[in-house]
Amino acid sequence: MSTLGDRGARGIAAEDWYGLDMATPGPVDVTADDSPFPPIGEYGFLSDCETTALIAPSGNVEWMCLPRMDSPSVFGSILDRSAGGFRLGPEGINVPAARRYLPGTMVLETSWATPTGWLVVRDALIMGPWHHESELSHTHRRTPTDYDADHVLLRTIRCVTGEVQVTFECEPVFDYGRHQGTWAYADGSYGQGICRPARDVPGVPLTLTTDMRLGFEGGRAMARTRMQEGEVHFCALSWTDHAPPFTYQEARQRLLWTAHHWQHWLARGRFPDHPWTRYLQRSALTLKGLTFAPSGAMVAAATTSLPEVPHGERNWDYRYCWLRDSAFTLWSLYALGFDWEADDFFWFLADLAQRDDEVQVVYGVDGERDLSEQILDHLSGYDGARPVRVGNEAYTQRQHDVWGTMLQAIHIRLGSWQRLDERMWRVVRRQVECALKYWREPDLGIWEVRGEPKHFTFSKLMCWSAVQRGAQAALARGQGALAKTWTEAADEIRDDILAHGVDERGVFTQHYDTKALDASLLLLPMTGFLPREDPRVRATILAIADELTVDGLVVRYRPEETDDGLPGDEGTFTICSFLLVSALSEIGEMAGAQQLCERLLSLASSLDLYAEEIDPRTGRHLGNFPQAFTHLALINAVIHVIRAQRETALPLPPLPPPEA
């Protein structure tokens, strides 16, 4: 099998040739080592809201799972250089001159400078009109829209000036790099080939359509041609019965339709007129891209097993939907004006809460409960980081924050408990009953440690939130006796937390048996547990800022103080650093909040994307990519700072604390 791709850099953008505005490229993360793996932060991210793809600077598609974003990969060279890829670009050159998204879109553009000419490649998972006009969809459970995934990865290429030798190699390796497919010509011509997995191998047939001449070498489909100024070509990889484009003109029109779709979608949002708006917009597009449209679920990230620590074993599969992110997800989508997406996500949650007596921490993108974890020993891992895992055993864990998160999400959706109908009231009651059943028991906490269960303070706090909000809901429905019972229970939980979860400094601790800090408590001022001006809230936020940071960026906890069941160090989590921005804003420390926010925004990837972690000394992105919760926390932090800068509230909804 071939090794496809290398790392790349950015430079001056090439001539625009679709009539869409150009943007100035930013800096690139260039590493000094000789690893064949590109830096995590330099991947481009594509989505059609059913599957996703990551494209290296070299032009190689190094991660793509079909037919869903949590399916086995067909291109997996991000985890092993022999696990499949799809490169398109100039022959012999792997470092592009520039990369960027067409403004307001999920269309990635790569510009190439060669000694003899310039090329521009554009990549997209293309969108089209709604497909199910004469039949019902067998996958969509949410309200139909005007658009739908075309199930086509489209790549167009144009020679802008001079002449350039162009090649592409498409090498699918099915089932996470285990099995090569078999290629054959589809119609007796050189323009279309079909790659099929062997019998009993997981995977769907892939059709490659192009106006270049295809040849097959083992498991690879290849093409090579010399392009001269003004010449154009395309290639399209499709995997369902939706027709791919058959000519360059058709490919161009469908790419334009996709670009305009994303621009029209983004135009529905509400964004402040501010220099930081571009980060909000890219975050909104990324969150939409991490949404599985048929169900409304949002995955935590597009990837599995990208390491939190270089060459380490803190490698997890994040292609699932965590309920703990649900309140932030709804807040961010509603705050930016994307009410349809927020509603779809909410009804996905409601489906789970109605189906399951006790909701899990994490689910599959269509609500699957069983996410059994496996180790893929045949893969070398990203830059040698092993093990490579698929599935996530967190689905079996008990995390007591989930009940409060569900109630918080329902309240954000409704805005007032007066709007609570009978269907959702049953959901509310179930969450409160679970919180009351389990709050006295230890759990594994919000960070899913794999050590011994503890009495985590944040878990207790969210149990209090569930019961307190439930009492308010009961009162709104005229059930005064139940409201009184639940209020008394909430007061008992509150007293327990204040007695056992606060140290002698007045700082909230990670759990009841320690004085260690935990970044989850940065959410304290946004829960309504205590007034924002309470000295214990302020002391906790400032202690985390002073003692739980590395070069100013926040770690979740100190491994030497926390039984997380894993060897190695804990990296700085960008989520938590953005949460510190919001927390500092909440307690009035605006100078520190703005300074940290500016620093974090400067650490965005060259495409304004974020992984789970950032090395504070080198700026390298680590962990799964792109990370939804990082972009959710960015939205919250940026809105906090902009509001404070303007000294008046923007027309955006607050994260609602429990009412008095």
Side-chain angles (χ1 to χ4, degrees):
M1 302 180 192
S2 65
T3 296
L4 303 178
D6 206 336
R7 56 184 175 272
R10 289 167 51 98
I12 301 173
E15 174 189 351
D16 176 49
W17 43 277
Y18 279 162
L20 294 169
D21 195 89
M22 298 294 287
T24 303
V28 68
D29 175 10
V30 179
T31 57
D33 59 45
D34 58 356
S35 169
F37 292 85
I40 290 171
E42 284 307 305
Y43 283 96
F45 170 62
L46 303 181
S47 174
D48 61 8
C49 300
E50 291 192 27
T51 192
T52 61
L54 294 187
I55 302 183
S58 65
N60 189 31
V61 181
E62 298 197 354
W63 183 248
M64 189 172 178
C65 301
L66 296 176
R68 305 191 326 186
M69 53 186 68
D70 61 348
S71 298
S73 65
V74 295
F75 302 132
S77 53
I78 195 171
L79 295 177
D80 189 300
R81 303 316 280 172
S82 64
F86 180 9
R87 183 181 187 268
L88 171 65
E91 186 175 42
I93 296 179
N94 288 311
V95 180
R99 299 170 80 222
R100 58 125 192 185
Y101 285 107
L102 298 187
T105 78
M106 294 281 284
V107 178
L108 181 66
E109 178 184 86
T110 305
S111 299
W112 296 92
T114 78
T116 58
W118 279 77
L119 293 173
V120 176
V121 175
R122 285 180 170 169
D123 295 314
L125 285 163
I126 60 175
M127 307 291 290
W130 180 254
H131 292 117
H132 308 280
E133 296 295 352
S134 58
E135 62 173 353
L136 294 177
S137 168
H138 299 295
T139 58
H140 287 73
R141 291 192 280 121
R142 303 278 76 90
T143 303
T145 62
D146 297 328
Y147 51 86
D148 198 1
D150 268 351
H151 306 147
V152 176
L153 171 63
L154 178 61
R155 315 193 74 177
T156 65
I157 186 165
R158 178 182 178 97
C159 183
V160 177
T161 186
E163 62 179 36
V164 181
Q165 188 73 31
V166 172
T167 64
F168 80 67
E169 298 182 13
C170 181
E171 184 181 16
V173 187
F174 295 93
D175 194 20
Y176 297 112
R178 289 189 177 101
H179 305 282
Q180 280 192 320
T182 301
W183 284 98
Y185 291 109
D187 56 3
S189 73
Y190 289 106
Q192 191 172 71
I194 298 178
C195 184
R196 290 184 172 89
R199 182 178 297 180
D200 299 327
V201 171
V204 294
L206 305 175
T207 300
L208 183 61
T209 307
T210 182
D211 55 2
M212 293 177 272
R213 290 179 293 275
L214 283 176
F216 306 128
E217 300 288 349
R220 280 179 286 165
M222 305 174 65
R224 53 196 177 199
T225 187
R226 186 184 66 172
M227 296 184 67
Q228 296 183 317
E229 181 174 334
E231 288 189 349
V232 292
H233 286 293
F234 82 98
C235 52
L237 188 73
S238 55
W239 51 91
T240 66
D241 56 2
H242 300 326
F246 291 98
T247 66
Y248 174 80
Q249 289 72 25
E250 185 184 354
R252 179 180 182 273
Q253 287 301 315
R254 290 175 72 171
L255 190 142
L256 277 173
W257 199 101
T258 300
H260 293 155
H261 155 74
W262 286 114
Q263 290 172 335
H264 294 156
W265 179 84
L266 196 64
R268 283 179 34 218
R270 295 191 302 265
F271 297 96
D273 184 16
H274 191 275
W276 292 350
T277 293
R278 75 177 233 227
Y279 298 102
L280 294 174
Q281 291 178 334
R282 183 50 55 190
S283 291
L285 286 162
T286 302
L287 294 175
K288 176 67 171 175
L290 292 171
T291 298
F292 185 65
S295 69
M298 183 181 292
V299 299
T303 56
T304 180
S305 300
L306 297 188
E308 297 175 7
V309 178
H311 315 296
E313 61 181 78
R314 294 171 183 256
N315 315 321
W316 314 108
D317 193 347
Y318 278 7
R319 298 171 298 156
Y320 307 114
C321 182
W322 267 261
L323 297 198
R324 68 158 178 262
D325 301 346
S326 57
F328 257 98
T329 301
L330 289 175
W331 186 92
S332 298
L333 292 172
Y334 284 130
L336 296 180
F338 297 108
D339 294 6
W340 293 354
E341 287 71 23
D343 286 350
D344 282 353
F345 181 66
F346 175 78
W347 291 119
F348 171 75
L349 299 177
D351 288 346
L352 301 177
Q354 286 187 299
R355 184 190 72 185
D356 298 343
D357 290 338
E358 295 182 7
V359 293
Q360 294 181 176
V361 174
V362 57
Y363 287 88
V365 298
D366 203 30
E368 294 86 355
R369 291 177 56 89
D370 186 352
L371 306 179
S372 297
E373 194 171 290
Q374 305 173 47
I375 292 177
L376 304 183
D377 286 324
H378 66 284
L379 296 177
S380 65
Y382 174 87
D383 206 17
R386 301 183 71 189
V388 173
R389 296 179 173 95
V390 294
N392 200 305
E393 286 300 323
Y395 86 97
T396 65
Q397 287 190 354
R398 180 75 66 192
Q399 296 176 30
H400 296 161
D401 62 286
V402 69
W403 329 118
T405 299
M406 287 293 293
L407 267 290
Q408 198 174 56
I410 293 170
H411 191 208
I412 291 172
R413 169 65 173 78
L414 298 178
S416 169
W417 293 119
Q418 301 293 336
R419 301 174 59 193
L420 189 67
D421 61 21
E422 184 62 29
R423 173 191 180 191
M424 295 313 299
W425 168 239
R426 290 194 295 271
V427 172
V428 167
R429 287 196 65 148
R430 191 174 298 160
Q431 308 316 305
V432 175
E433 289 164 359
C434 286
L436 291 173
K437 178 180 178 181
Y438 291 111
W439 78 266
R440 292 182 178 85
E441 299 181 11
D443 73 334
L444 293 170
I446 190 174
W447 306 126
E448 298 167 2
V449 297
R450 299 197 173 192
E452 291 297 317
K454 301 289 184 182
H455 291 279
F456 283 94
T457 303
F458 185 75
S459 297
K460 307 286 188 189
L461 192 152
M462 292 305 289
C463 286
W464 168 86
S465 179
V467 180
Q468 179 75 359
R469 289 179 188 273
Q472 295 155 6
L475 190 62
R477 290 185 61 84
Q479 299 194 28
L482 183 60
K484 181 175 184 295
T485 299
W486 284 354
T487 298
E488 291 172 352
D491 290 343
E492 181 184 0
I493 300 173
R494 173 190 169 91
D495 292 344
D496 190 72
I497 294 170
L498 293 177
H500 302 289
V502 183
D503 67 14
E504 64 275 5
R505 300 184 298 169
V507 171
F508 283 83
T509 58
Q510 181 185 68
H511 59 78
Y512 283 6
D513 301 320
T514 185
K515 295 183 179 180
L517 299 174
D518 193 292
S520 63
L521 293 163
L522 290 169
L523 292 165
L524 179 63
M526 289 172 272
T527 63
F529 182 74
L530 291 173
R532 292 169 174 83
E533 60 273 13
D534 189 288
R536 290 165 291 189
V537 174
R538 183 178 181 85
T540 301
I541 302 308
L542 295 181
I544 291 172
D546 291 341
E547 303 169 28
L548 205 59
T549 54
V550 177
D551 291 347
L553 301 186
V554 182
V555 297
R556 298 180 299 177
Y557 51 79
R558 299 288 184 188
E560 63 271 18
E561 300 175 326
T562 303
D563 177 20
D564 64 8
L566 294 166
D569 294 327
E570 170 78 2
T572 62
F573 267 63
T574 314
I575 301 162
C576 301
S577 296
F578 276 119
L579 291 180
L580 178 57
V581 172
S582 298
L584 290 171
S585 300
E586 291 281 347
I587 64 172
E589 293 288 335
M590 288 313 308
Q594 179 163 335
Q595 182 180 18
L596 179 56
C597 195
E598 289 173 345
R599 181 184 176 193
L600 290 168
L601 295 179
S602 75
L603 293 173
S605 81
S606 56
L607 295 171
D608 289 341
L609 299 173
Y610 287 87
E612 188 173 22
E613 303 182 25
I614 295 176
D615 186 317
R617 297 178 179 88
T618 66
R620 286 194 73 171
H621 289 237
L622 298 167
N624 284 305
F625 180 85
Q627 178 79 6
F629 203 6
T630 304
H631 286 275
L632 293 166
L634 179 154
I635 292 169
N636 191 278
V638 166
I639 289 174
H640 268 92
V641 174
I642 292 176
R643 280 177 163 169
Q645 287 175 343
R646 298 185 173 179
E647 299 181 345
T648 57
L650 293 168
L652 301 170
L655 185 64
E659 298 90 339

